[in-house]
């Protein structure tokens, strides 16, 4: 089980330093007061004043108390941590006879999934691989990889945010930047995961690929570029199918033809287990949802009660919502511009249908145990647990499955045609790719839809659970300021719901779940498991700098926090610069979000100019970028003369790009620049942190 020491129940004695520091804090003016005494001391004044004696006694008493309190026996924590975690991947590889290590930089689990697939592939080529999280190992050991014969490091690196590394690859990225290590004799290749709609497409993968070569490592296969805006799965399969034959040639090995499915985990059913030992949706420590202990993070989310859940739009067929969750007593701190991550659960109707179709009792308590005993990953999700909990809390059953899932499950189809098609979809043959594209992606079939439409396919549920990716946390831009709302976090979201080509209604996992989080459900408070992810999206350090905010639709979210904060700064008597908002929606009387709040903020002068584009209220569509061009003189003055900071939030695919183009045009026209100069001008603002984006696609 996961180690729970560190967050355990030890009541640690305060350290001596803590006590003395507290003393200094509680008596800040003792020193100051005594130093204002007249300097010429009377001859007969005693050596110690009463205050000195009092302090001396107090300190002595505290020291004695500290020594006494240290003697108390510490309660034994419930779990024993594994004595030492191997931080040397080289030693681990040598010990377990592996020659391929696949590192992943992953924020939403896809990079990790690809790494697992590649390390599993190695077996088919008579090699042994291991997937590794760079955060868990000492990456400066990379230079030692040459000590292992026929060794290779593969990097599956995702790019997150504005060309940044994922959280788990941050240290590795820092090391690469600072390192002047010699990586001679190290063989490597990189597969990058990104999305073309973003400015810094695959920046992290490209950087790792280039930097490793600069440090002397040998690129044995070309950088693969995965584009999630197109078909990431196809990009990966195509790269992988060219990569392995090239490796066989490089190392002089032959594929074993061992193409059957290789199980990674074995099933153990628990018939008479104490239910207190069974996971019910927690991520790290067992029972961490019942006894909540800070600090709260991805492994230990805080269950925040929902205190507000209201519909924002007045009409129209969409559902836009505003939620507030209570973080009182959690010690959680946040800043305007940060993201709140929430862990949703799957729709119970879909979970029940899966159980029915596979003829399984979903309340069976099971563990899936890794067959590779050396692996750091003992289970694919917290175990022991029930199939119901796994399918509800831990597994992503809504996204269309990737090709490896179809490939591995094909063996269970009793109809040879189904079997053939499933295998074909996982190949890189044009016909197979086209079939996967249409049957799975365009028709948007999730695993349940595939089982419904292929009646001969009835795989064992444990193998299905082994192959499904983990259900990921969803990030929302926080719509409040902690200066005004220190004990609550506001979320603004739109319900995702659409009908697929096969006539099935598909609902967004997180937004459907949020919509149903009623404030009081049968007297119980609804809670949301959450934690905070820091962001670079920050108000200027100097309040007097103007801010220009562009946020149509739910892109308004972080700006509600910014506006609250600028209002608060004004109340504190700070000099606050111009605060300009560009908001856009379809119809003024339907989806003008936070209309009352925004108009009130303009009336009180917190927002100096409120510009709203209603795209469908007139013949010609009007968007935020049109309003930017209308106000070009003001904008250019704010940016070029007054040091304004520009913020863009919302859709990356069209809006962010169109808005950026509008800024280029304004710089060309009013700054007398060429397009190249204008582009460089805006890029420089980005580098200086004066042009920030919080966008998604």
């Amino acid at each position: 089980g996961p180690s729970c020491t560190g967050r355990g129940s030890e009541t640690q004695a305060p350290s001596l330093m803590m006590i003395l520091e507290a003393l200094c804090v509680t008596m800040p003016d003792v020193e100051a007061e005594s130093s204002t005494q007249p300097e010429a001391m009377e001859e007969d004044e005693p050596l110690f004043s009463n205050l000195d004696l009092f302090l001396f006694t107090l300190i002595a008493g505290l020291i004695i108390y500290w020594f006494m309190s240290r003697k108390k026996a510490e309660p034994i924590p419930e779990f024993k941590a594994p004595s030492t975690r191997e931080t040397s991947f080289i030693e681990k590889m040598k010990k377990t006879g592996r020659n391929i290590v696949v590192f992943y930089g992953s924020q939403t689990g896809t990079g990790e999934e690809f790494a697992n697939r590649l390390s599993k592939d190695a077996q088919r080529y008579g090699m042994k691989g291991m997937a590794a999280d760079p955060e868990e190992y000492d990456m400066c050991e990379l230079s030692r990889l040459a000590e292992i014969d026929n060794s290779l490091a593969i990097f599956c690196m995702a790019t997150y945010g504005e060309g940044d590394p994922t959280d788990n690859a941050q240290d590795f990225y820092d090391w690469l930047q600072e390192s002047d290590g010699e990586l001679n004799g190290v063989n490597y290749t990189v597969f990058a995961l990104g999305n073309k709609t973003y400015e810094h497409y695959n920046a992290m993968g490209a950087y790792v690929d280039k930097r490793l070569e600069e440090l002397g490592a040998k690129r044995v296969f070309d950088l693969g570029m995965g584009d999630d805006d197109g078909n990431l799965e196809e990009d990966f399969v195509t790269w992988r199918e060219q990569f392995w034959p090239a490796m066989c040639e490089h190392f002089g090995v032959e594929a074993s033809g061992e193409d059957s499915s290789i199980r990674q985990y074995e099933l153990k059913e628990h018939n008479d287990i104490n239910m207190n030992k069974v996971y019910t949706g927690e991520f790290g420590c067992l029972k961490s949802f019942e006894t909540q202990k800070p600090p709260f993070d991805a492994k230990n989310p805080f269950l925040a009660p929902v205190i507000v859940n209201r519909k924002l739009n007045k009409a129209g067929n969409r559902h836009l919502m505003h939620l507030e969750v209570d973080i009182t007593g959690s010690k959680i701190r946040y800043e305007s511009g940060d993201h709140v991550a929430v862990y949703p659960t799957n729709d119970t109707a879909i979970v029940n249908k899966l159980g029915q179709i596979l003829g399984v009792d979903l309340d069976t308590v099971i563990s899936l145990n890794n067959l590779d005993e050396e692996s750091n990953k003992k289970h694919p999700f917290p175990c022991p647990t029930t199939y119901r909990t796994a399918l509800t809390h831990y597994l992503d059953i809504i996204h269309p499955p990737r090709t490896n899932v179809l490939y591995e499950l094909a063996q269970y189809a009793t109809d040879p045609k189904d079997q053939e098609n499933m295998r074909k979809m996982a190949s890189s043959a044009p016909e197979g790719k086209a079939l996967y594209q249409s049957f799975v992606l365009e028709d948007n079939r999730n695993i349940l839809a595939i089982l419904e439409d292929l009646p001969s396919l009835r795989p064992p549920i444990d193998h299905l659970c082994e192959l499904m990716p983990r259900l990921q946390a969803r990030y929302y831009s926080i719509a409040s300021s902690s200066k005004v709302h220190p004990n609550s976090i506001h979320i603004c979201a739109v319900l995702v719901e659409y009908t697929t080509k096969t006539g099935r209604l598909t609902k967004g996992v997180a937004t459907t779940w949020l919509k149903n989080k009623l404030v009081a459900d049968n007297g119980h408070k609804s809670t949301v498991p959450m934690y905070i992810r820091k962001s670079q999206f920050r108000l200027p350090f100097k309040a007097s700098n103007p801010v220009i905010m562009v946020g149509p639709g739910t892109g308004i979210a972080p700006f509600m926090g910014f506006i609250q904060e600028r209002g608060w700064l004004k109340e504190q008597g700070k000099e606050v610069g111009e605060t300009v908002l560009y908001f856009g929606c379809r119809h003024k009387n339907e989806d003008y979000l936070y209309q009352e709040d925004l108009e009130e903020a303009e009336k009180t002068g917190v927002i100096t100019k409120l510009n709203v584009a209603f795209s469908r209220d007139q013949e010609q569509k009007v968007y935020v970028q049109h309003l930017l061009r209308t106000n070009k003189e003001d904008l250019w003055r704010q940016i070029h003369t007054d040091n304004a900071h520009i913020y863009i939030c919302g859709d990356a695919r069209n809006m962010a790009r169109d808005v950026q183009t509008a800024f280029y045009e304004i710089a060309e026209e009013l700054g007398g620049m060429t397009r190249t100069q204008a582009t460089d001008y805006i890029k420089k603002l980005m580098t200086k942190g004066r042009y920030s984006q919080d966008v998604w696609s």
Side-chain angles (χ1 to χ4, degrees), residues 186-304:
V186 174
N187 296 317
Y188 79 92
T189 185
V190 179
F191 183 81
L193 297 86
N195 184 315
K196 264 209 179 80
T197 56
Y198 293 104
E199 175 88 22
H200 308 276
Y201 174 53
N202 270 331
M204 183 61 186
Y207 174 74
V208 171
D209 182 61
K210 176 173 122 302
R211 186 68 183 135
L212 290 173
E213 186 177 50
E214 289 171 0
L215 293 173
K218 182 181 178 199
R219 182 189 298 107
V220 292
F221 193 71
D222 287 340
L223 167 68
M225 296 283 260
D227 176 20
D228 201 25
D229 186 43
N231 181 342
L232 181 60
E233 177 67 20
E234 185 180 309
D235 296 337
F236 176 65
V237 168
T238 307
W239 180 84
R240 170 178 163 241
E241 297 233 343
Q242 293 166 343
F243 164 72
W244 283 116
M247 281 313 94
C248 290
E249 205 171 306
H250 186 271
F251 292 125
V253 294
E254 274 182 38
S256 59
E258 175 69 21
D259 249 13
S260 66
S261 151
I262 303 163
R263 288 289 302 258
Q264 230 179 318
Y265 298 93
E266 65 175 349
L267 171 67
K268 180 174 177 8
E269 289 191 4
H270 305 277
N271 297 321
D272 50 352
I273 189 169
N274 172 356
M275 290 310 278
N276 282 327
K277 298 270 181 281
V278 178
Y279 280 88
T280 56
E282 319 90 315
F283 298 99
C285 290
L286 200 58
K287 299 275 174 264
S288 61
F289 281 0
E290 287 173 31
T291 38
Q292 294 241 283
K293 294 196 185 96
F296 296 105
D297 54 29
K299 289 272 188 300
N300 180 40
F302 176 65
L303 297 184

Side-chain angles (χ1 to χ4, degrees), residues 635-649:
L635 276 170
W636 184 245
R637 169 187 54 77
Q638 289 155 347
I639 298 164
H640 196 63
T641 315
D642 301 342
N643 253 338
H645 286 230
I646 302 164
Y647 301 91
I648 291 137
C649 181

Side-chain angles (χ1 to χ4, degrees), residues 62-323:
L62 283 168
I63 290 170
I64 292 163
Y65 163 74
W66 180 69
F67 273 109
M68 298 301 286
S69 69
R70 283 176 72 215
K71 294 281 180 279
K72 277 188 200 148
E74 295 197 352
I76 296 155
E78 193 182 332
F79 288 101
K80 268 281 169 268
S83 50
T84 52
R85 188 158 209 173
E86 182 68 85
T87 59
S88 164
F89 64 90
I90 300 291
E91 293 311 319
K92 187 159 184 179
M93 287 172 78
K94 286 180 175 177
K95 212 162 55 189
T96 59
R98 290 161 208 262
N99 62 324
I100 293 179
V101 58
V102 194
F103 291 107
Y104 57 85
S106 181
Q107 195 73 28
T108 60
T110 313
E112 181 179 357
E113 216 181 305
F114 286 1
N116 283 325
R117 284 162 71 175
L118 288 167
S119 85
K120 213 166 159 183
D121 279 345
Q123 277 175 273
R124 300 199 168 114
Y125 299 93
M127 300 184 255
K128 272 187 93 178
M130 64 178 251
D133 181 344
E135 206 170 31
E136 292 182 2
Y137 293 101
D138 187 355
M139 293 305 286
C140 62
E141 291 223 318
L142 203 51
S143 56
R144 291 183 55 205
L145 195 60
E147 297 169 15
I148 298 172
D149 288 342
N150 278 353
S151 60
L152 167 70
I154 307 174
F155 294 86
C156 291
M157 306 306 288
T159 300
Y160 191 67
E162 299 303 298
D164 305 314
T166 55
D167 293 347
N168 78 313
Q170 184 66 54
D171 294 345
F172 172 49
Y173 176 71
D174 295 342
W175 174 77
L176 278 176
Q177 285 190 303
E178 292 151 18
S179 175
D180 40 18
E182 283 290 307
L183 298 183
N184 298 343
V186 174
N187 296 317
Y188 79 92
T189 185
V190 179
F191 183 81
L193 297 86
N195 184 315
K196 264 209 179 80
T197 56
Y198 293 104
E199 175 88 22
H200 308 276
Y201 174 53
N202 270 331
M204 183 61 186
Y207 174 74
V208 171
D209 182 61
K210 176 173 122 302
R211 186 68 183 135
L212 290 173
E213 186 177 50
E214 289 171 0
L215 293 173
K218 182 181 178 199
R219 182 189 298 107
V220 292
F221 193 71
D222 287 340
L223 167 68
M225 296 283 260
D227 176 20
D228 201 25
D229 186 43
N231 181 342
L232 181 60
E233 177 67 20
E234 185 180 309
D235 296 337
F236 176 65
V237 168
T238 307
W239 180 84
R240 170 178 163 241
E241 297 233 343
Q242 293 166 343
F243 164 72
W244 283 116
M247 281 313 94
C248 290
E249 205 171 306
H250 186 271
F251 292 125
V253 294
E254 274 182 38
S256 59
E258 175 69 21
D259 249 13
S260 66
S261 151
I262 303 163
R263 288 289 302 258
Q264 230 179 318
Y265 298 93
E266 65 175 349
L267 171 67
K268 180 174 177 8
E269 289 191 4
H270 305 277
N271 297 321
D272 50 352
I273 189 169
N274 172 356
M275 290 310 278
N276 282 327
K277 298 270 181 281
V278 178
Y279 280 88
T280 56
E282 319 90 315
F283 298 99
C285 290
L286 200 58
K287 299 275 174 264
S288 61
F289 281 0
E290 287 173 31
T291 38
Q292 294 241 283
K293 294 196 185 96
F296 296 105
D297 54 29
K299 289 272 188 300
N300 180 40
F302 176 65
L303 297 184
V306 177
I307 44 180
V308 174
N309 183 353
R310 62 186 167 90
K311 187 175 173 180
L312 279 172
N313 49 321
K314 304 178 184 70
N317 50 11
R318 295 187 303 160
H319 182 94
L320 292 124
M321 53 195 150
H322 171 86
L323 281 95

Side-chain angles (χ1 to χ4, degrees), residues 312-318 320 553 583-593 595 612-619 621-623:
L312 279 172
N313 49 321
K314 304 178 184 70
N317 50 11
R318 295 187 303 160
L320 292 124
F583 173 69
C585 61
R586 294 177 185 179
H587 301 284
K588 182 171 185 174
N589 53 12
E590 266 185 25
D591 53 353
Y592 186 169
L593 308 182
Q595 181 178 356
V612 189
F614 304 108
S615 60
R616 304 182 185 183
D617 275 350
Q618 61 285 310
E619 197 63 30
K621 289 204 168 165
V622 177
Y623 294 117

Side-chain angles (χ1 to χ4, degrees), residues 418-685:
D418 289 347
Q419 213 174 95
E420 186 195 340
N421 280 336
M422 288 175 75
R423 292 216 168 96
K424 200 186 280 172
M425 284 193 268
S427 77
S428 57
E431 190 194 347
K433 283 181 172 176
L435 185 60
Y436 178 73
Q437 181 70 34
S438 64
F439 183 78
V440 179
L441 297 181
E442 285 168 17
D443 290 352
N444 211 312
R445 280 183 171 87
N446 59 29
I447 192 67
L448 176 62
I450 286 171
L451 293 171
E452 286 173 341
D453 294 347
L454 301 178
S456 95
L457 177 65
R458 294 295 176 262
I461 191 167
D462 62 295
H463 199 176
L464 186 90
C465 288
E466 169 177 327
L467 294 168
M468 290 281 101
R470 284 291 295 266
L471 183 59
Q472 298 293 329
R474 306 301 204 260
Y475 297 103
Y476 294 95
S477 306
I478 296 177
S480 51
S481 160
S482 55
K483 301 281 190 286
V484 183
H485 298 282
N487 291 321
S488 69
I489 284 173
H490 301 185
I491 297 172
C492 168
V494 56
L495 180 69
V496 177
E497 230 178 38
Y498 54 92
T499 303
T500 67
K501 285 186 177 173
T502 62
R504 292 178 167 95
L505 179 67
T506 294
K507 300 175 178 183
V509 175
T511 52
T512 305
W513 170 80
L514 281 172
K515 179 181 181 237
N516 294 326
K517 287 280 168 190
L518 306 172
V519 176
D521 216 355
N522 292 336
H524 292 293
K525 270 207 163 82
S526 292
T527 58
V528 168
M530 52 73 68
Y531 64 95
I532 298 296
R533 187 176 188 281
K534 294 274 165 235
S535 97
Q536 301 298 313
F537 205 68
R538 289 276 182 270
L539 276 170
F541 183 67
K542 282 173 65 180
S544 56
N545 285 58
V547 301
I548 298 159
M549 305 172 285
V550 185
T554 54
I556 185 74
F559 302 136
M560 294 309 294
F562 280 13
I563 291 160
Q564 289 171 12
E565 188 134 334
R566 299 279 273 189
W568 178 85
L569 287 164
K570 244 180 130 96
E571 280 171 18
Q572 303 298 302
K574 294 267 192 304
E575 184 200 333
V576 178
E578 290 175 84
T579 304
V580 183
L581 176 68
Y582 289 85
F583 173 69
C585 61
R586 294 177 185 179
H587 301 284
K588 182 171 185 174
N589 53 12
E590 266 185 25
D591 53 353
Y592 186 169
L593 308 182
Y594 301 108
Q595 181 178 356
E596 293 77 13
D597 299 339
L598 295 175
E599 288 173 350
E600 179 61 26
E602 188 181 35
K603 212 178 355 196
T604 56
V606 173
I607 295 179
T608 41
K609 192 154 194 264
L610 175 61
N611 308 279
V612 189
F614 304 108
S615 60
R616 304 182 185 183
D617 275 350
Q618 61 285 310
E619 197 63 30
Q620 244 59 49
K621 289 204 168 165
V622 177
Y623 294 117
V624 282
Q625 61 269 26
H626 299 129
L627 300 187
L628 292 172
R629 290 191 186 96
T630 312
N631 295 330
K632 59 190 177 191
E633 280 86 4
D634 264 355
L635 276 170
W636 184 245
R637 169 187 54 77
Q638 289 155 347
I639 298 164
H640 196 63
T641 315
D642 301 342
N643 253 338
H645 286 230
I646 302 164
Y647 301 91
I648 291 137
C649 181
D651 160 61
R653 184 170 286 113
N654 302 308
M655 184 277 297
R657 213 175 266 176
D658 294 342
V659 164
Q660 205 161 316
T661 306
F663 280 115
Y664 292 158
E665 288 169 4
I666 291 169
E668 279 178 71
E669 193 184 329
L670 295 168
M673 303 179 188
T674 63
R675 174 53 68 103
T676 314
Q677 289 171 322
T679 311
D680 287 346
Y681 183 85
I682 299 295
K683 292 271 190 293
K684 207 163 260 152
L685 291 181

Side-chain angles (χ1 to χ4, degrees), residues 331-405:
K331 295 193 164 67
I332 289 173
R333 301 263 176 278
Y334 74 95
E335 301 271 337
S336 316
D338 282 343
H339 295 139
V340 58
V342 303
Y343 283 108
T345 55
N346 288 310
D347 185 339
T348 48
I350 296 178
V351 172
N352 290 335
K353 265 193 197 153
L354 276 171
Q356 274 164 5
I357 215 165
L358 295 174
V360 180
D361 173 7
L362 291 176
D363 296 309
T364 311
V365 179
I366 56 129
S367 287
L368 286 177
N369 301 324
N370 203 326
L371 291 162
D372 169 8
E373 298 191 344
E374 295 298 328
S375 174
N376 275 4
K377 196 172 180 185
K378 300 298 175 211
H379 315 283
F381 43 77
C383 292
T385 189
T386 63
Y387 286 125
R388 186 184 306 284
T389 300
L391 293 170
T392 307
H393 292 266
Y394 300 138
L395 298 172
D396 179 349
I397 56 177
I398 295 303
H399 270 110
R402 301 197 180 279
T403 59
N404 64 307
V405 177

